[in-house]
Amino acid sequence: MEWTIETILNLLHTTNDGRCVLADGKKNNGYLSDDAQNLITQLLINHLLQDQSKGTDLFFRKISELIVEVFPKEQKSVYFIPSKTEDQHQAHAKGKLIERWKNVARKLRLAGAISCERKKTVVTQATTSSLPNFSEEVKSATYWLQTEGLNFSNLNIIKAKWLITYEVRKYDIFESNEQSISDIFLKWPIFQSPKDWYVLEDFKIGNLITHKITDDRNTYMNSYKYALTLLTELDSTYLNGDLRSSIVISLLLVPYLIPTKTQIKNNNVSVKTKFWKPLLVESASAFAIHVQNMIKFHEDFCQREIKYLHHGATIQPYIAFVGEDIQSISSCYVRVNQRWCFEDPLIALEVCFKTFFVFNCNYPKECYDSWLIVQQLLFQLHTPHDKSTSITKSVSGQF
């Protein structure tokens, strides 16, 4: 099962225990009492066990981060502290999630409700046994990353194994026409880690000649200088030295300044209309959005699911800025198969862009022109698959 903030919010809003936790947080101005902390821990661990998911450190780390997303005043260390090695001493993982998991799992094992054996999942077996022409070292590293590596804390060892298994991921992603991003996340659960290193490294291996926008922020801002002159507010923000807000506004402006004019085929056979023409605001939201809080983020995603289901389409990666207003953006997210959180809006843009290449995804048709300009001008990357339009040619001609 994929754990996202929607998982947490759904449990909180649809169960009595969840409603008690929400009420406690509201009563204590965003903080949770010890009873509420224990209650949400119990709720999440029970759900984890009912889904028969493994209690790995990766899961607990992710769940603790999701809790803090919903309740920003909570501390991750209350729920999970990863294991670490100091000299020759091994410190085991700790926290409310760990303790609750151990207690419930122990009772279930004693009752014979769950097995003590660790079995290879069908997905893992299929991945490692069907790899063509890969050495045993690579196959072994692949299996390690899908199992033991999920609980491993030494990043250098993880990186070494990640690098030698690139061709395996490339085979999994590019050689199968039936797979979705969800399938890739299932085969490579380490992608569910909050770290962006995995996506950026795979992109770098597959695209050796490209430009990294975060290396030169002045160049990035100069590229959008023509847009800054259009909005007094943006000019004012830029002149006042609020670079972060300027970048956020610039990114939100991209699909408005580089619009995509297209009709998209409706793949839902039950709908009579064969094509749909996205509004400008729909094209913009397919690229990046601003929401006031995580609840609004969740509501927006649910509305997207309904809309895209109606059109027989899928939600492609996009960027979301979360904050009460543009000048107080607290977090920048990339929504792929889950949410990845970043402090820097340019890092969010970079990861979102490179996600399309790493997972072999198409740009959203609603904002294709915007992403093509980002690709060709900001990252200076051209591919045989690029389909230039009159708008992209016009914009490119200005630089």
Side-chain angles (χ1 to χ4, degrees), residues 237-253:
T237 305
Y238 181 69
L239 293 173
N240 289 335
D242 188 356
L243 181 60
R244 191 170 190 270
S245 296
S246 297
I247 293 174
V248 170
I249 296 173
S250 297
L251 293 178
L252 291 172
L253 276 173

Side-chain angles (χ1 to χ4, degrees), residues 1-12 44 47 59 62-67 69-70 182 185 192 294 297-298 301-302 305 333-340:
M1 181 192 68
E2 176 201 355
W3 277 76
T4 66
I5 196 169
E6 286 87 1
T7 310
I8 308 289
L9 291 172
N10 183 59
L11 289 171
L12 289 173
L44 299 179
H47 186 68
F59 255 125
K62 183 175 182 180
I63 293 172
S64 65
E65 289 167 351
L66 291 173
I67 292 174
E69 283 190 38
V70 179
S182 296
F185 272 66
Q192 298 179 35
M294 296 306 298
F297 195 177
H298 173 62
F301 182 75
C302 291
E305 283 189 312
Y333 288 87
V334 174
R335 185 63 169 82
V336 191
N337 199 53
Q338 61 175 51
R339 287 188 177 96
W340 289 330

Side-chain angles (χ1 to χ4, degrees), residues 85-297:
T85 302
E86 296 179 355
D87 297 327
Q88 296 181 345
H89 301 285
Q90 174 72 29
H92 296 289
K94 297 181 291 185
K96 288 182 179 290
L97 290 169
I98 294 289
E99 297 308 316
R100 179 68 187 177
W101 168 268
K102 288 180 178 178
N103 291 337
V104 177
R106 187 182 301 114
K107 291 180 181 178
L108 291 174
R109 279 195 295 269
L110 289 174
I114 60 176
S115 172
C116 297
E117 296 181 5
R118 293 187 176 182
K119 298 181 179 180
K120 299 179 182 179
T121 63
V122 174
V123 172
T124 299
Q125 289 177 338
T127 302
T128 55
S129 62
S130 60
L131 298 180
N133 303 323
F134 290 119
S135 67
E136 288 303 318
E137 179 188 11
V138 171
K139 291 182 179 180
S140 176
T142 300
Y143 177 70
W144 185 89
L145 286 168
Q146 295 169 336
T147 53
E148 296 177 47
L150 300 177
N151 296 323
F152 210 69
S153 59
N154 190 323
L155 188 58
N156 290 331
I157 294 178
I158 294 176
K159 285 184 176 181
K161 293 183 182 295
W162 186 261
L163 293 178
I164 67 173
T165 55
Y166 169 74
E167 291 298 330
V168 180
R169 286 186 299 283
K170 183 179 177 182
Y171 175 81
D172 283 342
I173 294 170
F174 289 90
E175 296 301 321
S176 175
N177 295 324
E178 303 298 326
Q179 289 194 122
S180 64
I181 292 183
S182 296
D183 296 323
I184 300 302
F185 272 66
L186 193 60
K187 284 188 176 183
W188 296 89
I190 202 166
F191 273 125
Q192 298 179 35
S193 165
K195 297 183 182 297
D196 62 324
W197 182 87
Y198 306 106
V199 170
L200 297 182
E201 191 62 31
D202 273 8
F203 179 87
K204 184 170 65 176
I205 297 172
N207 302 272
L208 296 178
I209 303 176
T210 185
H211 181 65
K212 187 176 180 181
I213 57 172
T214 48
D215 287 341
D216 190 350
R217 295 169 186 271
N218 291 330
T219 300
Y220 171 81
M221 292 306 298
N222 289 335
S223 298
Y224 280 99
K225 187 57 182 176
Y226 76 96
L228 301 182
T229 60
L230 300 178
L231 294 175
T232 304
E233 178 185 357
L234 188 55
D235 264 337
S236 175
T237 305
Y238 181 69
L239 293 173
N240 289 335
D242 188 356
L243 181 60
R244 191 170 190 270
S245 296
S246 297
I247 293 174
V248 170
I249 296 173
S250 297
L251 293 178
L252 291 172
L253 276 173
V254 169
Y256 290 99
L257 298 171
I258 312 171
T260 299
K261 298 180 180 180
T262 185
Q263 285 190 333
I264 302 174
K265 184 178 180 180
N266 199 327
N267 293 317
N268 189 342
V269 294
S270 63
V271 177
K272 294 182 179 180
T273 307
K274 293 184 178 181
F275 295 90
W276 65 285
K277 185 176 181 179
L279 301 173
L280 183 57
V281 66
E282 291 179 313
S283 296
S285 65
F287 183 86
I289 61 168
H290 166 236
V291 290
Q292 292 180 320
N293 51 53
M294 296 306 298
I295 301 296
K296 296 292 185 183
F297 195 177

Side-chain angles (χ1 to χ4, degrees), residues 313-382:
T314 57
I315 301 176
Q316 298 296 80
Y318 65 96
I319 305 166
F321 302 111
V322 180
E324 193 63 32
D325 52 50
I326 296 295
Q327 283 73 36
S328 58
I329 297 298
S330 58
S331 301
C332 310
Y333 288 87
V334 174
R335 185 63 169 82
V336 191
N337 199 53
Q338 61 175 51
R339 287 188 177 96
W340 289 330
C341 182
F342 309 93
E343 293 184 3
D344 191 329
L346 283 183
I347 294 295
L349 174 68
E350 182 176 0
V351 171
C352 190
F353 166 73
K354 293 182 177 180
T355 293
F356 290 108
F357 284 79
V358 171
F359 294 116
N360 194 27
C361 300
N362 294 323
Y363 295 142
K365 293 181 179 179
E366 305 96 301
C367 55
Y368 177 86
D369 294 42
S370 299
W371 278 117
L372 187 61
I373 289 298
V374 169
Q375 171 196 313
Q376 294 181 343
L377 294 187
L378 296 186
F379 291 93
Q380 301 174 14
L381 181 64
H382 296 263

